[in-house]
């Protein structure tokens, strides 16, 4: 059982830890997925941008081809050049200078043209201006504009390529008859400008290759170098994109390192990684505070609950405004209320015990004074009748008063009206009047409306008796005992018994009050019968704490006993005799 209880708080923390770990794993997977998506988007963006650049280079190459085609068309079908293909040797001598001047002007207009050569329909060279390279051995006729691969003559460090343009007998309507061919010997410098400044990354390589994979334009140190096919094929370390140049038959090739390909996503990836690290740090802090703000207080409450069995007076004493602290505070409050309830229960048991003692005391008093009530009543009536017979009116009146007092003391309920209690005091006052020869007077003042209020029986008469025998009997002069009853606010009742007797010192009053409140009901009876302590404890039994019992006295001035009660007296069947 103990091991299981120890595992309860631990398992809660472990479950929360598992949740956090799962969240970490989900975040790690999400980070990896996000990285893949970012890499994919970055690669796609890079490929699209690079594709556009390659298309722009292709468009420039096409533009070059179109301008070259237009120039060759004008040159080939210019009348002087066109006629030169069909003239004999004598006629060609006459037009040679004009044609040479035309061709020279053309090379001057375009500085990328190194030379121009004319061939007849049989492949025989007719005329040449500028450079003329005999690197191909025999020149074959072509039926459309054709670009050759690049070459480098042995006597030159420059790189060239050849452009062949067929000339047909169009002016005479013989469209299928080829009368000659124009060859341009071209420099490759123009194409380098097409590639310059177009790379997306620092590591990207752009090439213009002929059909043999020889570099026409590209990095300076690689021009006229033949690239191996593996260098222009996509691998794990590089991305290769190729655009076929339709007019020239060449290729535009882009080689981008993989690291550069994803370089654009580096900042995005770093930003996402920072966000995830901040989130992980937040979860770690949450786990830390969850342990110290939730798990540990719950464990403390659990340990306290198990230890409270052996130490009922222990308390958590946790301060704070969070739910666990409020729960601990309520738990302490509940234990305090439990202790208070136990104390009330013990007090109630003590009250029941004292109530039983009161009942037994009243029975003893009844047995002492009520051996045969009817016999005593009849005896009192007999004495009264004899007194009347012998005309002793005082004896008859005293006997009748004593009979009424005796009947009131041992008969009836424990709760009586103020009017009944005052009537008993008046009977007692008659006896006191005759006993002390009229020297002691008992005066009664009851406020209108207070007569019907309910009070316990024999509350006022013992106090009046104490005032007579302890306050006025030793006084030589006349004395007066005043009994007043009036209503107070909130349905209360004030009872005051005041005499002008000898009085008491303040220390004696304090001692009397402490002794009266300290002694139990069983000790208050004593030999003196129903005294002040008995009255005080009976008030507690009937009213609980809803009463006020005070004594004020001054030497030579008298004593005042004041009782204030609130509410209604509780019926106590155990006191019925």
């Amino acid at each position: 059982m103990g091991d299981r209880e120890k595992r309860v708080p631990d398992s809660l923390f472990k479950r929360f830890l598992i949740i956090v770990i799962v969240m970490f794993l989900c975040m790690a997977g999400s980070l990896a997925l996000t990285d893949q998506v970012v890499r994919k988007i970055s690669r796609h963006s890079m490929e699209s941008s690079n594709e556009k650049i390659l298309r722009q280079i292709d468009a420039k190459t096409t533009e070059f081809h179109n301008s070259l085609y237009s120039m060759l068309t004008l040159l080939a079908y210019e009348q002087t050049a066109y006629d030169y293909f069909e003239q004999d040797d004598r006629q060609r001598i006459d037009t040679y200078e004009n044609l040479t001047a035309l061709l020279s002007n053309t090379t001057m207009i375009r500085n990328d043209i190194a030379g121009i050569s004319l061939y007849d329909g049989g492949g025989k060279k007719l005329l040449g201006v500028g450079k003329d390279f005999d690197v191909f051995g025999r020149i074959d006729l072509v039926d459309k504009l054709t670009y050759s691969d690049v070459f480098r003559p042995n006597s030159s460090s420059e790189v060239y390529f050849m452009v062949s343009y067929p000339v047909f007998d169009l002016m005479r309507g013989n469209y299928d008859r080829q009368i000659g061919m124009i060859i341009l010997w071209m420099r490759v410098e123009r194409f380098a400008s097409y590639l310059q400044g177009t790379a997306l990354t620092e590591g990207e390589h752009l090439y213009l290759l002929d059909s043999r994979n020889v570099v026409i334009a590209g990095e300076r140190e690689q021009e006229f170098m033949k690239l191996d096919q593996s260098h222009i094929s996509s691998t794990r370390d590089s991305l290769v994109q190729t655009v076929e140049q339709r007019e020239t038959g060449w290729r535009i090739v882009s080689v981008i390192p993989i690291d550069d390909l994803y370089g654009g996503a580096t900042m995005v990836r770093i930003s996402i990684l920072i966000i995830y690290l901040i989130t992980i740090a937040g979860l770690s802090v949450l786990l830390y505070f969850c342990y110290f703000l939730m798990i540990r207080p719950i464990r403390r409450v659990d340990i306290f609950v198990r230890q409270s069995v052996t130490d009922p007076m222990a308390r958590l004493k946790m301060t704070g405004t969070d739910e666990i602290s409020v729960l601990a505070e309520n738990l302490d409050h509940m234990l305090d209320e439990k202790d208070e309830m136990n104390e009330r229960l013990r007090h109630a048991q003590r009250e029941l015990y004292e109530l039983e003692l009161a009942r037994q005391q009243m029975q003893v008093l009844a047995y002492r004074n009520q051996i045969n009530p009817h016999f005593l009543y009849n005896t009192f009536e007999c004495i009264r009748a004899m007194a009347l017979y012998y005309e002793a009116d005082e004896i008859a009146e005293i006997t009748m008063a004593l009979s009424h007092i005796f009947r009131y003391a041992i008969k009836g309920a424990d709760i009586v009206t103020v009017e009944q209690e005052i009537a008993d005091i008046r009977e007692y006052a008659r006896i006191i009047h005759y006993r002390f020869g009229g020297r002691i007077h008992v005066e009664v003042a009851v406020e209108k409306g207070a007569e019907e209020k309910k009070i316990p029986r024999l509350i006022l008469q013992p106090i009046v008796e104490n005032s007579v025998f302890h306050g006025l009997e030793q006084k030589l002069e006349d004395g007066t005992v005043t009994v007043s009853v009036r209503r107070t606010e909130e349905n209360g009742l004030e009872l005051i018994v005041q005499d002008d007797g000898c009085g008491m010192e303040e220390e004696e009053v304090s001692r009397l009050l402490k002794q009266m409140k300290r002694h139990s009901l069983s000790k208050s009876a004593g030999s003196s019968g129903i005294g002040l302590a008995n009255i005080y404890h009976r008030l507690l039994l009937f009213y609980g704490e809803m009463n006020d019992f005070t004594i004020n006295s001054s030497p030579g001035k008298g004593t005042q006993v004041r009782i204030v009660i609130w509410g209604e007296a509780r019926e106590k069947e155990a006191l019925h005799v």
Side-chain angles (χ1 to χ4, degrees):
M1 181 68 178
D3 295 338
R4 184 186 67 80
E5 292 177 348
K6 292 181 180 179
R7 289 196 298 268
V8 170
D10 294 337
S11 64
L12 181 62
F13 177 73
K14 289 179 181 178
R15 290 175 185 175
F16 186 78
L17 182 61
I18 290 173
I19 293 175
V20 173
I21 292 175
V22 171
M23 292 179 67
F24 283 164
L25 294 177
C26 292
M27 290 180 62
S30 191
L31 178 61
L33 180 62
T34 303
D35 183 68
Q36 291 296 324
V37 172
V38 170
R39 288 168 64 90
K40 184 176 180 180
I41 293 175
S42 178
R43 176 166 182 158
H44 178 73
S45 176
M46 185 71 73
E47 289 178 352
S48 299
S49 299
N50 200 53
E51 180 75 18
K52 291 179 181 179
I53 291 175
L54 295 180
R55 291 299 177 188
Q56 290 175 0
I57 297 174
D58 177 60
K60 291 180 180 180
T61 305
T62 301
E63 183 180 355
F64 167 81
H65 165 78
N66 293 335
S67 65
L68 197 62
Y69 179 81
S70 299
M71 185 202 70
L72 285 171
T73 301
L74 292 174
L75 180 61
Y77 295 103
E78 199 275 334
Q79 193 64 46
T80 302
Y82 182 80
D83 292 339
Y84 195 81
F85 289 105
E86 294 292 311
Q87 291 176 348
D88 54 22
D89 293 338
R90 188 181 60 81
Q91 291 174 331
R92 286 172 179 163
I93 293 174
D94 295 335
T95 59
Y96 176 79
E97 291 182 1
N98 294 332
L99 182 58
T100 301
L102 177 62
L103 297 179
S104 296
N105 291 333
T106 302
T107 57
M108 290 177 65
I109 294 173
R110 294 190 59 127
N111 57 7
D112 57 340
I113 300 176
I116 303 175
S117 298
L118 274 63
Y119 292 81
D120 62 11
K124 178 184 176 182
K125 183 178 180 180
L126 300 177
L127 179 64
V129 175
K131 293 183 179 295
D132 188 4
F133 306 103
D134 189 14
V135 294
F136 295 100
R138 181 176 177 274
I139 300 298
D140 295 327
L141 296 176
V142 296
D143 57 357
K144 63 179 181 178
L145 193 149
T146 305
Y147 292 80
S148 70
D149 293 329
V150 295
F151 60 90
R152 177 179 288 171
N154 294 331
S155 61
S156 176
S157 61
E158 292 184 313
V159 179
Y160 302 92
F161 65 93
M162 182 180 68
V163 178
S164 301
Y165 181 79
V167 181
F168 294 93
D169 191 11
L170 300 181
M171 292 186 179
R172 298 181 180 89
N174 299 320
Y175 300 111
D176 295 332
R177 177 174 172 265
Q178 185 174 352
I179 59 176
M181 185 173 62
I182 301 176
I183 294 178
L184 300 179
W185 305 98
M186 304 293 296
R187 299 183 181 91
V188 298
E189 288 84 354
R190 180 185 290 266
F191 297 106
S193 64
Y194 294 169
L195 305 182
Q196 187 175 3
T198 57
L200 287 176
T201 66
E202 294 182 358
E204 182 182 7
H205 302 284
L206 285 171
Y207 303 104
L208 180 61
L209 306 179
D210 63 11
S211 61
R212 299 173 301 161
N213 292 335
V214 176
V215 178
I216 300 173
E219 295 179 358
R220 192 72 179 173
E221 62 274 8
Q222 289 183 317
E223 288 182 355
F224 201 63
M225 288 182 58
K226 184 176 181 179
L227 300 181
D228 188 79
Q229 185 63 34
S230 61
H231 293 162
I232 55 176
S233 299
S234 294
T235 63
R236 185 174 57 185
D237 299 326
S238 62
L239 171 68
V240 176
Q241 289 180 282
T242 302
V243 173
E244 299 289 342
Q245 222 294 313
R246 181 170 53 85
E247 290 82 4
T248 62
W250 300 336
R251 290 186 298 166
I252 306 169
V253 179
S254 168
V255 181
I256 304 177
I258 292 297
D259 293 338
D260 290 352
L261 187 65
Y262 300 119
T266 301
M267 291 303 298
V268 177
R269 294 167 62 191
I270 292 175
S271 300
I272 294 176
L273 180 61
I274 292 174
I275 292 174
Y276 276 105
L277 290 177
I278 292 175
T279 305
I280 291 174
L283 287 175
S284 301
V285 172
L286 177 63
L287 178 63
Y288 176 83
F289 281 102
C290 179
Y291 177 76
F292 283 97
L293 296 180
M294 293 179 59
I295 306 301
R296 284 185 60 182
I298 291 176
R299 181 178 297 177
R300 181 179 173 186
V301 172
D302 176 65
I303 294 174
F304 169 76
V305 170
R306 287 188 276 113
Q307 292 179 348
S308 62
V309 178
T310 57
D311 188 8
M313 300 305 296
R315 296 294 184 268
L316 277 169
K317 297 180 180 179
M318 293 176 61
T319 59
T321 57
D322 57 281
E323 287 78 1
I324 298 179
S325 299
V326 173
L327 174 63
E329 185 178 353
N330 291 336
L331 183 60
D332 288 345
H333 183 65
M334 182 189 70
L335 293 176
D336 292 339
E337 288 186 346
K338 177 185 175 183
D339 292 342
E340 184 178 354
M341 186 178 298
N342 291 335
E343 182 63 27
R344 290 179 180 176
L345 180 61
R346 288 192 293 269
H347 182 70
Q349 291 175 345
R350 185 168 60 251
E351 280 189 350
L352 290 176
Y353 172 72
E354 293 184 352
L355 187 65
E356 179 64 20
L357 286 179
R359 185 186 67 82
Q360 293 176 1
Q361 291 173 7
M362 296 297 291
Q363 287 180 345
V364 170
L365 291 175
Y367 289 145
R368 288 177 181 175
N369 302 312
Q370 189 189 341
I371 296 177
N372 193 335
H374 295 288
F375 172 75
L376 293 176
Y377 297 152
N378 294 333
T379 301
F380 285 141
E381 290 296 327
C382 181
I383 295 173
R384 178 174 176 274
M386 292 177 64
L388 292 174
Y389 178 79
Y390 289 102
E391 297 181 356
D393 296 334
E394 292 85 355
I395 297 176
E397 190 172 353
I398 291 174
T399 303
M400 184 178 64
L402 181 61
S403 175
H404 290 167
I405 291 175
F406 183 72
R407 183 185 298 274
Y408 180 76
I410 64 175
K411 289 293 185 179
D414 295 326
I415 303 299
V416 298
T417 63
V418 171
E419 184 179 8
Q420 291 174 318
E421 185 75 4
I422 293 300
D424 180 64
I425 292 175
R426 295 184 190 278
E427 297 293 341
Y428 177 76
R430 290 184 185 181
I431 298 175
I432 294 301
H433 176 74
Y434 287 109
R435 179 178 176 181
F436 292 98
R439 184 171 62 86
I440 297 177
H441 303 278
V442 178
E443 297 180 357
V444 177
V446 180
E447 184 183 44
K448 185 177 181 180
E451 299 92 341
E452 302 301 323
K453 301 287 289 185
K454 299 291 185 69
I455 59 174
R457 184 167 53 134
L458 293 177
I459 289 296
L460 295 176
Q461 189 273 335
I463 301 176
V464 173
E465 184 176 350
N466 282 339
S467 297
V468 170
F469 290 103
H470 296 289
L472 299 177
E473 185 178 11
Q474 301 174 4
K475 185 178 178 181
L476 298 178
E477 298 84 4
D478 293 349
T480 304
V481 179
T482 304
V483 179
S484 61
V485 180
R486 68 181 187 87
R487 293 180 299 174
T488 64
E489 298 179 356
E490 299 180 358
N491 197 29
L493 194 66
E494 182 183 55
L495 312 174
I496 297 178
V497 178
Q498 184 167 353
D499 63 72
D500 54 0
C502 298
M504 295 179 289
E505 296 289 343
E506 184 177 354
E507 292 79 5
E508 186 177 359
V509 174
S510 300
R511 181 185 57 80
L512 179 62
L513 287 173
K514 290 181 181 178
Q515 182 180 8
M516 178 182 67
K517 295 180 179 180
R518 184 173 65 249
H519 286 184
S520 64
L521 186 61
S522 60
K523 296 180 180 180
S524 64
S527 60
S528 61
I530 304 177
L532 292 179
N534 183 283
I535 295 173
Y536 175 76
H537 286 284
R538 288 177 65 217
L539 288 173
L540 287 179
L541 287 175
F542 282 98
Y543 293 96
E545 298 295 334
M546 301 297 292
N547 71 89
D548 185 15
F549 195 108
T550 57
I551 300 175
N552 295 311
S553 181
S554 297
K557 295 183 179 181
T559 302
Q560 181 193 74
V561 178
R562 179 175 178 269
I563 300 174
V564 180
I565 53 179
W566 295 273
E568 299 293 336
R570 296 174 294 184
E571 294 288 346
K572 303 290 183 178
E573 294 183 1
L575 293 178
H576 292 174
V577 179

